[in-house]
Amino acid sequence: MRVHRLEQITPQVRLIELRDPDGGMLPPAEPGAHIDLHLPDGAVRSYSLCGDPADRHAYHIAVLKVPGGRGSGFVHGDLEPGSDLTISPPRNNFRFDDAPRSLFIAGGIGITPLLPMIRRAAERGADWVLHYCVRSASAAPFLDDLRALPHGRVELHAADEGRRLAVDALLASTPADVPIYCCGPQRLMEAVAAAADPAQDVRFEWFAPRTEPAREPASDDSFEVVCARSGVTVTVPAGTSILDALYAAGVEADSSCEQGICGTCETTVLEGEPEHRDSVLSDTERAAGKTMMLCVSRARSARLVLDI
């Protein structure tokens, strides 16, 4: 992939447009999707796509400059138009569903996965409201674009103006049939998660492991994993991830973040009960136990059979 254009859209946020160097079409991406950017030093960083999903010739990401950040340091310091980059195909753990009304909650650069969703809602004539939490209006990426979209409104909560979002009141006043989409700093998302009623459909894009509510933990004892397609059975010792145990046994598995936040290592569970420790699956998906993340999750049963 090649950097086609760079644009400084706020003092701290740089927009990157990526295209195929041969002008070819790119894999499709739905609103909420993200890509992994492979840095020259071997690190991998995930960034949400914030462009128009209908444009199959370009991907757009927006990167916040973070002191000491490896990804942001590279993007804001070394990246130039014409640079070639290695990226992953788009993946989507943050599904957007059409609905007559939708509520969006963004904090700072967390607006990036929500922007294509809001555009989709506006295009289809749905009612939408965005609560946009920022330090100042001048630091709010895409604010003018959002305010120009029809059928909805933007409520700006700028800290320098003393306007902070009352999360509890907002969630309490939102009907259960209105889907809620949230992305931003960890503190904001955990506040939304804590305020949500179990009947509400609240979806998050986590870019750091979620702080789990207190629950009875599974034993960290060893357990057995049977790889149905590979024909290999491995023992996963205490303190070792399923992913590492598979690698040690020569079983290949896709992975990226190894923190349970990107969804790359999601694998189908054929038998057994997983102990979910990821930040990707919903509570409903966890209860169903049909898939699990190999990098962080373990087993409540003595044996798991996986489709790998």
Side-chain angles (χ1 to χ4, degrees):
M1 196 65 62
R2 184 161 293 166
V3 177
H4 182 74
R5 181 171 63 94
L6 293 171
E7 180 183 353
Q8 202 72 32
I9 57 175
T10 77
Q12 299 297 319
V13 176
R14 175 169 275 193
L15 180 71
I16 300 95
E17 180 179 318
L18 301 169
R19 291 180 178 263
D20 183 288
D22 298 321
M25 293 184 68
L26 304 178
E30 287 297 305
H34 68 272
I35 58 173
D36 288 339
L37 185 65
H38 295 255
L39 306 182
D41 65 359
V44 178
R45 293 293 181 268
S46 296
Y47 296 104
S48 296
L49 295 175
C50 58
D52 181 0
D55 182 359
R56 294 285 302 280
H57 288 93
Y59 292 150
H60 295 84
I61 60 173
V63 180
L64 175 68
K65 187 176 184 179
V66 179
R70 293 166 75 180
S72 67
F74 171 69
V75 168
H76 284 263
D78 301 325
L79 204 59
E80 297 179 352
S83 298
D84 287 329
L85 296 173
T86 299
I87 68 168
S88 71
R91 292 193 303 275
N92 200 336
N93 305 319
F94 196 25
R95 189 186 73 253
F96 174 71
D97 291 330
D98 289 325
R101 299 172 59 196
S102 294
L103 173 65
F104 302 94
I105 303 172
I109 198 64
I111 191 61
T112 52
L114 300 182
L115 182 57
M117 297 181 181
I118 296 170
R119 286 177 174 150
R120 176 71 59 84
E123 288 168 1
R124 300 190 175 180
D127 293 332
W128 58 270
V129 176
L130 167 66
H131 288 267
Y132 195 0
C133 305
V134 292
R135 292 176 181 171
S136 65
S138 64
F142 309 111
L143 181 57
D144 291 341
D145 294 341
L146 287 158
R147 284 174 165 168
L149 293 174
H151 307 297
R153 72 176 193 274
V154 177
E155 297 285 350
L156 189 68
H157 303 271
D160 65 349
E161 299 174 6
R163 299 188 60 193
R164 297 190 178 274
L165 176 61
V167 172
D168 289 352
L170 175 62
L171 270 289
S173 65
T174 302
D177 61 348
V178 176
I180 302 168
Y181 303 88
C182 179
C183 185
Q186 199 85 348
R187 184 173 59 181
L188 171 64
M189 294 201 293
E190 290 182 352
V192 171
D197 186 278
Q200 290 177 309
D201 181 5
V202 188
R203 302 177 188 182
F204 301 92
E205 179 76 306
W206 300 91
F207 283 106
R210 177 179 176 180
T211 301
E212 293 285 353
R215 65 178 70 187
E216 181 184 352
S219 169
D220 204 35
D221 292 341
S222 65
F223 56 94
E224 186 177 77
V225 169
V226 178
C227 305
R229 284 192 283 120
S230 303
V232 175
T233 298
V234 301
T235 298
V236 182
T240 300
S241 70
I242 296 175
L243 191 64
D244 286 342
L246 294 178
Y247 286 160
V251 178
E252 294 186 1
D254 292 333
S255 68
S256 179
C257 72
E258 300 192 11
Q259 300 180 78
I261 58 177
C262 75
T264 304
C265 65
E266 184 173 5
T267 300
T268 299
V269 178
L270 301 175
E271 294 180 28
E273 183 182 0
E275 161 69 9
H276 298 290
R277 300 182 182 182
D278 65 276
S279 302
V280 175
L281 298 176
S282 67
D283 289 343
T284 300
E285 290 168 328
R286 288 183 172 199
K290 294 181 178 180
T291 67
M292 67 183 301
M293 305 302 154
L294 304 182
C295 63
V296 292
S297 298
R298 296 185 64 78
R300 286 189 174 273
S301 55
R303 180 174 178 265
L304 291 174
V305 181
L306 304 179
D307 185 22
I308 192 170

